[in-house]
Amino acid sequence: MLQEQSLRDARSIAVWRVVLASLIAIHGWYRFASGGVPLFGAWLDSQGWPFGLAIASTITAIEILGTPLLAFGRAQFVLCLVYAAIYSVGLVIVHWPFGWFVVGAGRNGMEYSVLLIASFLTLAWQSRPTRVSAR
């Protein structure tokens, strides 16, 4: 019984990992393919961020290159923390001023970002390194 629950838990986590990785990969690949990296960099520069293009390029590369690793459960703890940090900053500088709702009662709000951040932090917690006690 416990083994069956453990297997269901592992499968559920794997599905959620693949879903999150897919969402982030699409985000990064779209920005890259549509020529949005320089625009993102220019926007960061206009907001007072130094090295806007370098930041935009790095974020896009992490979104593209890290997601296959995440989907397969490799470097999950670190990647989830990195993605949570990236999307937390995005929440504050992009979505916070628009309020909560993405659509409906508002536009471009932070609810989707909160869901992503909570999901990444939950996966990070689930995959966190455990301490081995010395005896």
Side-chain angles (χ1 to χ4, degrees):
M1 183 75 146
L2 186 57
Q3 234 177 8
E4 184 179 318
Q5 180 64 43
S6 183
L7 183 58
R8 274 196 310 236
D9 291 349
R11 286 179 179 162
S12 298
I13 289 165
V15 167
W16 194 235
R17 220 180 34 240
V18 170
V19 167
L20 283 172
S22 298
L23 291 170
I24 301 309
I26 292 166
H27 198 81
W29 276 110
Y30 177 79
R31 183 183 308 115
F32 177 76
S34 68
V37 176
L39 297 173
F40 181 26
W43 181 81
L44 288 170
D45 286 335
S46 77
Q47 300 300 303
W49 289 75
F51 312 109
L53 182 58
I55 293 170
S57 298
T58 301
I59 289 171
T60 304
I62 292 168
E63 289 174 334
I64 292 171
L65 301 174
T67 49
L69 294 172
L70 179 61
F72 287 108
R74 305 287 187 247
Q76 179 176 324
F77 179 72
V78 172
L79 283 169
C80 285
L81 291 180
V82 168
Y83 289 131
I86 289 169
Y87 287 91
S88 292
V89 172
L91 181 148
V92 171
I93 68 172
V94 176
H95 301 289
W96 188 282
F98 293 97
W100 180 255
F101 298 101
V102 174
V103 296
R107 180 153 168 24
N108 204 26
M110 61 183 147
E111 65 183 328
Y112 178 66
S113 295
V114 170
L115 176 61
L116 287 175
I117 294 162
S119 296
F120 285 126
L121 292 177
T122 300
L123 280 180
W125 177 261
Q126 181 274 328
S127 65
R128 72 194 181 284
T130 56
R131 285 190 156 177
V132 177
S133 61
R135 289 190 181 223

